[in-house]
């Protein structure tokens, strides 16, 4: 099969590098690949199959005339990504997804540490006053948030190089490279589905732990909240990391026209997220410091997470429908 690809590349090497010509080359490769596999299935040897396919290829000038392809260069053409560039993009996306997932997890764990520290003090640990414990918990929370923000910035800087892929869609893939990316996506599909199911189970199971602990002993409510938030943080990490990897495959396979709507979708959802999450942290701190509601104000995080997920899903459906 590599012989056919090389033969086709050599035939198109002297022709203009236009979008029409790339499309013609990819279409011919798909037809030749299909014919090659058909010949192999009927018992032809490798050399026989390759020879028949190439002999049936015909004259390149006749094919160009038949398809009505222009020999003039496009004034503006999207860059054709190489396999090395695609692998670098996927690797960078994996690493950035890992840092973003860790950052979001740290934000949730910071709140969990605060609740845990208050629970330890309320259950008889008198070495630290309630006020001191609150300030210590807030210091840990703000430290975790500061680290998370640093990770977000670092991940964003790493992905800036591939903005033309993730947000603009100004690129093209050859047919054989697109098939390789599609094969990798299909292989990753089962892992992605399993991880998403595990994440949903953790989200559903997390409040059960809290209610179970409260049913046996109300004094353990803080510890139940801490465990619940830890389970939620694990689920969120799975969603962010594996969701990023899966989205990278989809962005490589989608065309520029589809990315136009997605850019608007990403912009709106990102703008809402940049407002809603800092607002949630402000509400959390005010309700705790001013009204001393540390025992219940943690609920703003899971509730906001669910509402934001509902908004994101509904908005995406409406945009893509249009």
């Amino acid at each position: 099969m590599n012989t056919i690809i090389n033969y086709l590349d050599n035939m198109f090497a002297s022709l203009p590098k236009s979008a029409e010509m790339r499309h013609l080359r990819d279409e011919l490769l798909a037809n030749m690949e299909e014919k090659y596999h058909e010949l192999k299935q009927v018992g032809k040897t490798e050399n026989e199959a390759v020879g028949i396919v190439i002999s049936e290829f015909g004259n390149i000038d006749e094919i160009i005339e038949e398809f009505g392809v222009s020999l003039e260069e496009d004034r503006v053409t999207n860059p054709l990504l190489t396999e090395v560039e695609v692998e670098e993009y996927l690797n960078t996306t994996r690493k950035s997804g890992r840092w973003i997932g860790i950052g979001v997890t740290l934000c949730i764990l910071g709140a969990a540490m605060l609740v845990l520290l208050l629970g330890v003090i309320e259950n008889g640990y008198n070495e630290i006053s309630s006020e001191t414990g609150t300030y210590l918990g807030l210091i840990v929370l703000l430290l975790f948030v500061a680290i998370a923000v640093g990770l977000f910035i670092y991940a964003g800087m790493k992905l800036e190089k591939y903005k033309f892929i993730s947000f603009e869609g100004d690129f093209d893939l050859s047919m054989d490279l697109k098939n390789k990316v599609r094969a990798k996506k299909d292989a990753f599909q089962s892992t992605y589905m399993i991880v998403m199911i595990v994440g949903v189970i953790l989200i559903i199971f997390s409040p059960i732990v809290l209610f179970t602990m409260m049913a046996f002993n109300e004094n353990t409510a803080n510890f139940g909240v801490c465990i619940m938030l830890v389970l939620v943080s694990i689920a969120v990490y799975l969603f962010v990391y594996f969701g990023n990897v899966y989205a990278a495959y989809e962005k490589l396979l989608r065309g520029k026209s589809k990315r136009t709507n997605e850019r608007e979708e990403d912009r709106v959802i990102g703008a809402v997220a940049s407002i809603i999450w800092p607002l949630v942290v402000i509400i959390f701190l005010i309700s705790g410091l001013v009204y001393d509601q540390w025992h219940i104000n943690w609920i703003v995080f899971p509730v906001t997470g669910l509402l934001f997920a509902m908004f994101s899903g509904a908005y995406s459906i409406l945009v893509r429908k249009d």
Side-chain angles (χ1 to χ4, degrees):
M1 190 63 206
N2 288 333
T3 304
I4 296 176
I5 295 175
N6 293 333
Y7 172 77
L8 201 57
D9 288 339
N10 290 331
M11 293 295 294
F12 280 81
S14 60
L15 298 175
K17 304 299 186 292
S18 64
E20 275 189 305
M21 204 61 72
R22 286 198 298 269
H23 178 73
L24 175 60
R25 183 261 184 198
D26 291 342
E27 188 172 344
L28 289 173
L29 177 60
N31 294 334
M32 295 171 77
E33 187 175 14
E34 182 180 357
K35 181 65 175 180
Y36 169 80
H37 289 300
E38 288 178 358
L39 293 171
K40 291 287 289 184
Q41 289 177 356
V42 297
K44 297 294 183 181
T45 65
E46 175 79 14
N47 292 334
E48 289 175 336
V50 170
I52 294 173
V53 170
I54 291 178
S55 65
E56 293 182 358
F57 177 69
N59 185 278
I60 186 64
D61 295 328
E62 294 176 355
I63 294 175
I64 291 175
E65 184 179 353
E66 179 182 348
F67 281 83
V69 177
S70 173
L71 290 175
E72 296 181 1
E73 286 270 5
D74 289 347
R75 290 186 179 180
V76 179
T77 59
N78 293 328
L80 193 64
L81 296 184
T82 65
E83 188 169 355
V84 173
E85 290 174 323
V86 168
E87 284 300 322
E88 288 179 351
Y89 169 68
L90 292 174
N91 289 332
T92 302
T93 301
R94 292 188 191 98
K95 292 177 182 178
S96 298
R98 185 178 296 114
W99 294 127
I100 294 172
I102 292 174
V104 176
T105 301
L106 284 176
C107 292
I108 301 175
L109 290 181
M113 291 294 293
L114 174 59
V115 174
L116 176 62
L117 189 57
L118 293 176
V120 170
I121 295 173
E122 290 177 3
N123 281 273
Y125 186 77
N126 299 320
E127 297 295 328
I128 302 176
S129 65
S130 178
E131 183 177 353
T132 302
T134 300
Y135 286 125
L136 286 176
L138 287 174
I139 291 173
V140 173
L141 171 60
L142 294 176
L143 178 62
F144 279 19
V145 170
I147 296 174
V149 171
L151 293 176
F152 295 153
I153 295 173
Y154 178 75
M157 292 175 63
K158 285 291 185 181
L159 287 173
E160 183 67 22
K161 177 182 177 182
Y162 301 100
K163 185 178 179 179
F164 72 100
I165 297 178
S166 298
F167 298 102
E168 297 170 2
D170 294 331
F171 67 93
D172 282 323
L173 294 178
S174 63
M175 181 62 70
D176 52 319
L177 186 53
K178 185 175 291 187
N179 289 336
K180 289 180 180 179
V181 173
R182 186 175 289 109
K184 289 184 178 181
K185 177 191 172 186
D186 293 340
F188 183 74
Q189 181 87 31
S190 58
T191 300
Y192 176 71
M193 291 179 62
I194 292 173
V195 169
M196 292 300 104
I197 292 172
V198 170
V200 171
I201 291 174
L202 287 174
I203 294 291
I204 296 174
F205 181 73
S206 59
I208 297 177
V209 175
L210 171 61
F211 297 144
T212 302
M213 295 184 69
M214 291 179 61
F216 285 100
N217 188 347
E218 291 185 359
N219 294 328
T220 62
N222 291 71
F223 303 107
V225 171
C226 183
I227 295 174
M228 184 189 74
L229 291 178
V230 169
L231 293 176
V232 170
S233 69
I234 295 173
V236 169
Y237 176 83
L238 295 176
F239 291 150
V240 172
Y241 175 70
F242 287 91
N244 255 31
V245 175
Y246 189 79
Y249 288 121
E250 290 197 319
K251 288 173 181 177
L252 285 170
L253 295 173
R254 288 174 184 169
K256 183 177 177 67
S257 59
K258 293 184 178 179
R259 289 298 300 151
T260 302
N261 286 337
E262 289 178 3
R263 286 200 301 272
E264 177 66 16
E265 176 186 333
D266 293 340
R267 187 183 66 82
V268 173
I269 293 177
V272 173
S274 66
I275 296 173
I276 195 69
W277 287 109
L279 184 62
V280 168
V281 174
I282 292 173
I283 293 173
F284 175 77
L285 294 176
I286 292 177
S287 62
L289 293 173
V290 179
Y291 299 102
D292 196 27
Q293 298 295 314
W294 299 113
H295 64 288
I296 191 63
N297 64 350
W298 53 266
I299 201 170
V300 298
F301 291 104
V303 169
T304 303
L306 290 173
L307 292 176
F308 183 71
M310 291 168 60
F311 162 76
S312 301
Y315 183 80
S316 298
I317 291 173
L318 290 174
V319 169
R320 293 174 187 178
K321 182 178 180 181
D322 294 337

